[in-house]
Amino acid sequence: MKFGGTSVANIDRISRAAKRVALEVAKGHDVIVIVSAMAGETNKLVGFVGETAPLYDAREYDAVTSSGENVTAGLMALRLQEMDIPARSWQGWQVPVQTNSAHGAARIEAIPTDNILRKFGEGMRVAVVAGFQGISPEGRITTLGRGGSDTTAVAFAAAFDAVRCDIYTDVDGVYTTDPRICDKARKLDRIAFEEMLELASLGAKVLQTRSVELAMRYKVRLRVLSSFEEPSESAGTLVCDEEDIMESNVVSGIAHSRDEAKMTLISVADRPGIAAAIFTPLAEAGVNVDMIVQNISEDGRTDMTFSCPTDQVMRAEQAMRAAKDAGAINFHDLVADTGVCKISVVGIGMRSHAGVAAQMFRALASEGINIKVITTSEIKISVLIDRRYMELAVQALHDTFGLDKAA
Ligand code: ADP
Ligand code: ASP
Ligand code: MG
């Protein structure tokens, strides 16, 4: 059972969450509870780090930002003990949750089960584990990237071969789109792993992308549900195999990602190796390039456009100017547009349906929304548009694909 930030936002909420855990204990289950930091806490800690050191040491970033989860793990264990349920807390390093050394975005490599299983054997009923954190081979504290407690939860479910992995959050399941920006958003009873994976990686933060990958690989029975509603067996959304979904719309969901930037190198020489000469230094500078468009060339010169997260624009600019100074590339101008967002429609039905892209573009056109960049894959279409049209675009697409109605 994983409780997100809003579900442990204060002592009262922690008590409510503990009562849910108690229900499962009463059914005879041993429970591993994964907790996030109290709502807003990680943001606050990230802010402290940035204020102290703009170009921070990622190991100390992890030391600071992992601490929010330590508080809620201890409080949850205390609360359960108050209810006469044998429980104790574990920080990541105590389990130990072994990760690689990629501080700030570490990957879990192993979760030895013996420590926790021994305690269950001695009569403990609930292991409360601080989410989001682990320990590197060098013995330093790591964190798994924002939203990482979801991944902690799924990784534990896989390691312990759990009956279920329930993700408790502030919405009662996975919706056709973010219910905060579209009031017609409809809760899905089921969603396929692949669709959830795309939605998560395209910006639907209800589950961290890596958690969905792990659930898919290890066949974890993954459910998303609200910690505020009455518990029931059929509550929430089940993330499951495609075969277990009877009927679905061609498009099952729409994701948005607010913090995108579009960068264009104006007039670069169109020659073999130019893309490598641009994208190698960007990769080396740690810029996560997403979409790429190369214009047709005129007189041997072309424009190259790519998108990346807004907070990496400075790094991208530095890398491109350095490459120009070193003579590796040549361009007339570098234009950054930080006022864009990415909207994506996702659905496994697209594999067998033609015309989804055309329908998407017509819906945007009829709202007067200009598309700046387009990319597609087998089950998704993404566009970059002006950020001020984000809500409008999501709502228009939700309407055109009839997502407010079940298939
Ligand atoms: P937690 O703190 O519990 O991990 P998050 O804030 O990380 O919660 O994720 C839940 C939020 O995800 C919701 O409040 C909602 O605004 C957002 N969200 C985005 N897309 C979706 C979607 N398709 N379905 C449900 N929630 C979504
Ligand atoms: N507290 C961490 C974050 O806000 C991890 C999580 O809540 O999943 O990113
Ligand atoms: Mg989250």
Side-chain angles (χ1 to χ4, degrees), residues 262-271 273-279 282 291-296 301-307 320 331 333-335:
K262 175 169 87 83
M263 305 195 67
T264 305
L265 291 163
I266 313 254
S267 188
V268 288
D270 191 10
R271 55 165 173 85
I274 186 65
I278 292 171
F279 293 104
L282 287 172
M291 304 162 128
I292 299 174
V293 181
Q294 182 180 348
N295 285 12
I296 51 163
R301 301 195 76 83
T302 183
D303 296 341
M304 188 78 86
T305 297
F306 61 89
S307 70
M320 291 296 89
F331 52 86
D333 204 358
L334 175 57
V335 186

Side-chain angles (χ1 to χ4, degrees), residues 2 4-5 36 146-150 167-169 205-208:
K2 178 256 176 177
S36 286
R146 299 307 306 271
S149 295
D150 297 329
I167 305 281
Y168 287 91
T169 183
K205 67 170 188 163
V206 59
L207 286 175
Q208 199 195 31

Side-chain angles (χ1 to χ4, degrees), residues 111-139:
I111 301 178
T113 55
D114 37 331
N115 279 335
I116 288 180
L117 287 181
R118 184 163 9 92
K119 284 286 167 191
F120 277 133
E122 291 168 7
M124 178 189 70
R125 299 302 306 281
V126 183
V128 186
V129 179
F132 181 51
Q133 49 173 264
I135 182 167
S136 73
E138 294 77 31

Side-chain angles (χ1 to χ4, degrees), residues 2 4 34 36 42 61 69 102 104-108 131-133 143-155 165 167 169 174 193 195-216 222 224 239:
K2 178 256 176 177
I34 309 292
S36 286
T42 311
Y61 168 97
E69 271 72 8
R107 283 168 85 97
I108 297 178
F132 181 51
Q133 49 173 264
T143 65
L144 311 179
R146 299 307 306 271
S149 295
D150 297 329
T151 300
T152 308
V154 174
C165 179
I167 305 281
T169 183
V174 177
F193 281 122
E195 291 173 328
M196 192 62 240
L197 195 57
E198 287 284 4
L199 286 175
S201 69
L202 294 166
K205 67 170 188 163
V206 59
L207 286 175
Q208 199 195 31
T209 309
R210 181 87 183 116
S211 73
V212 187
E213 265 169 25
L214 284 179
M216 190 156 126
L222 180 62
V224 177
V239 190

Side-chain angles (χ1 to χ4, degrees), residues 219-250:
K219 303 241 169 275
V220 172
R221 196 177 162 78
L222 180 62
R223 218 165 42 134
V224 177
L225 62 177
S226 160
S227 59
F228 304 111
E229 291 196 350
E230 284 310 306
S232 89
E233 286 296 322
S234 62
T237 301
L238 185 69
V239 190
C240 60
D241 282 326
E242 203 176 318
E243 296 79 51
D244 298 330
I245 298 178
M246 302 298 272
E247 263 170 296
S248 65
N249 289 316
V250 177

